[in-house]
Amino acid sequence: MRFQLTEDQRALRSGVRELLARRFGPEQLRAAVEAPGRLQKGLWRELGEAGFFALRLPESQGGVGLGLPEAVLAFEEAGRALLPGPLVATHLAAAEVPGAATGETVVTDVGGCGLVEWLSAADVVRGDDGGAVPLRSVDPLTPLHRVPGTPSSPWAAEAPGADPAAVLLTAAEQLGSATRACELAAQHARTREQFGRPIGAFQAVKHLCAEMLVRTETARAAVYAAAVTADPADIDTARLLADDAAVRGARDCLQVHGGMGFTWEFEVHLHLKRAWVRTHRTSDATESEERLAAELLAGSG
C-alpha cells in the first residue's frame, strides 16, 4: 500500500494553503478574534467556489470527484490556518443540503454530547437543536451551544455513534494545528536569544521541539493511512494520535514561547483552545478507546 502523496495531491494541498494564506492570513485571523461569533460568508462562498465543500461529490453532481485522502489534505490546511466555521458539517452535508456544496448555505449539526458549533450563524442545523442554550466557549472562534437532554457521554448506550468521516476530518484539522505549533516553536527557538545564544541551543528546548515533531509525524502517518483504508479502527487510532499531537504540541509550543505565548499577538494559544474544542466535536477520546479495546479483545479470543 502506497502512502506517498501524488503530484496532484501535493498540488491540491499547495492550492488550499495559498488560498487560505491570501484570504485568512494573520491579519484576518486577528480581525476574526476581535469580532467573535461572526462567520465570514464571503470567505465561505469563496471556499465553496474553490470546491472545498464539494471535494468528494461526484462530478456528475457538480463536485470535484475526489476522495477521502484529498479531503483530509484540505482539512489539514484548514486546521493549520485556524479557519473558523462548521467546516466538517457543511462538507458532509454537500450531497444532501442545497447550497452546502457551493458555500451558499452554512450547515452545522448536533455533535457529541449535544454540542452545536456556530448555531447562530448556520442556515441549516442537522439534528434536533430544540432548546439549545449558549455555552461560554474557550475558543473565541468557535461559539458553542448545547442541546439539553442529550446523553452526557457520547459512549452512553442511547448516544448515536459518530460519523467516521467526521472523526477523520476533525483529526486532519488537529494534525494541521499540531504541524503549525511545531513550526512556530522551531521558528521561535531559532530566533529568540537568551544568554547570548538562541534558546533552541539549550537541551530542554531541543527536546520539547523534537518530541513535538515525533508526535506530529506519527499522527500524520496514522491520519493519512486511515484516509486510505477508511477502516473504523484506523480512524479511531488516527483520532487519538492527532488529538494528542495537537493538544500537547500547542502546550509545548506555549512553553517554548514563555509568557508571550499567552498574549493576543501570538496565535499559539488559539491553537490550544481550538484543539481542546475539537476533542469534543464528534465524541470524545473515550469512545475511540472503547472501540479499539473491544477490537483488541475480540482479536485475542
Side-chain angles (χ1 to χ4, degrees), residues 50-72:
F52 187 91
F53 301 116
L55 272 175
R56 294 192 299 142
L57 273 186
E59 294 183 31
S60 59
Q61 298 180 27
V64 185
L66 297 177
L68 198 53
E70 288 77 18
V72 159

Side-chain angles (χ1 to χ4, degrees), residues 24-71:
F24 198 73
E27 291 184 7
Q28 292 89 347
L29 173 62
R30 199 67 52 217
V33 171
E34 292 174 357
R38 291 178 55 188
L39 192 63
Q40 299 180 35
K41 296 294 184 70
L43 173 58
W44 206 259
R45 286 191 291 272
E46 193 166 340
L47 287 171
E49 291 170 1
F52 187 91
F53 301 116
L55 272 175
R56 294 192 299 142
L57 273 186
E59 294 183 31
S60 59
Q61 298 180 27
V64 185
L66 297 177
L68 198 53
E70 288 77 18

Side-chain angles (χ1 to χ4, degrees), residues 2-290:
R2 182 179 175 84
F3 293 119
Q4 294 291 326
L5 300 185
T6 66
E7 287 300 319
D8 287 344
Q9 289 171 333
R10 292 179 191 277
L12 170 68
R13 182 173 63 182
S14 298
V16 175
R17 182 172 297 189
E18 290 170 5
L19 169 64
L20 295 180
R22 186 174 69 253
R23 290 290 287 112
F24 198 73
E27 291 184 7
Q28 292 89 347
L29 173 62
R30 199 67 52 217
V33 171
E34 292 174 357
R38 291 178 55 188
L39 192 63
Q40 299 180 35
K41 296 294 184 70
L43 173 58
W44 206 259
R45 286 191 291 272
E46 193 166 340
L47 287 171
E49 291 170 1
F52 187 91
F53 301 116
L55 272 175
R56 294 192 299 142
L57 273 186
E59 294 183 31
S60 59
Q61 298 180 27
V64 185
L66 297 177
L68 198 53
E70 288 77 18
V72 159
L73 294 176
F75 275 79
E76 180 185 348
E77 291 304 315
R80 185 177 178 276
L82 279 172
L83 189 64
L87 299 165
V88 172
T90 302
H91 176 88
L92 294 177
E96 301 171 4
V97 177
T102 59
E104 296 171 0
T105 302
V106 179
V107 182
T108 190
D109 59 11
V110 181
C113 300
L115 294 176
V116 189
E117 298 181 5
W118 291 95
L119 178 61
S120 300
D123 301 303
V124 173
V125 181
R126 303 177 84 188
D128 183 6
D129 65 324
V133 294
L135 297 179
R136 182 175 181 179
S137 176
V138 67
D139 177 14
L141 295 179
T142 309
L144 290 173
H145 283 69
R146 179 170 181 173
V147 179
T150 52
S152 58
S153 168
W155 45 281
E158 67 273 25
D163 183 339
V167 174
L168 182 58
L169 294 178
T170 299
E173 288 189 82
Q174 293 285 57
L175 175 60
S177 268
T179 302
R180 183 58 178 157
C182 195
E183 293 170 354
L184 291 170
Q187 181 182 16
H188 189 71
R190 283 194 297 265
T191 56
R192 176 72 171 176
E193 293 190 359
Q194 286 291 338
F195 307 109
R197 54 179 176 164
I199 61 172
F202 297 102
Q203 191 176 51
V205 178
K206 283 182 186 176
H207 284 184
L208 275 179
C209 293
E211 289 166 0
M212 291 172 64
L213 180 62
V214 169
R215 286 194 296 266
T216 300
E217 293 308 313
T218 302
R220 186 186 312 283
V223 170
Y224 288 4
V228 172
T229 66
D231 181 85
D234 290 343
I235 291 176
D236 283 327
T237 302
R239 177 261 176 84
L240 293 173
L241 290 170
D243 280 354
D244 183 60
V247 173
R248 293 177 64 188
R251 284 176 173 167
D252 287 349
C253 186
L254 273 172
Q255 189 167 353
V256 171
H257 279 74
M260 68 174 65
F262 290 93
T263 63
W264 288 105
E265 286 75 17
F266 288 81
E267 65 185 89
V268 183
H269 64 101
L270 295 174
H271 279 285
L272 178 58
K273 292 166 181 172
R274 185 70 60 84
W276 276 332
V277 170
R278 290 193 198 110
T279 60
H280 296 283
R281 176 181 291 163
T282 55
S283 57
D284 66 15
T286 305
E287 183 179 5
S288 295
E289 292 169 346
E290 291 283 338

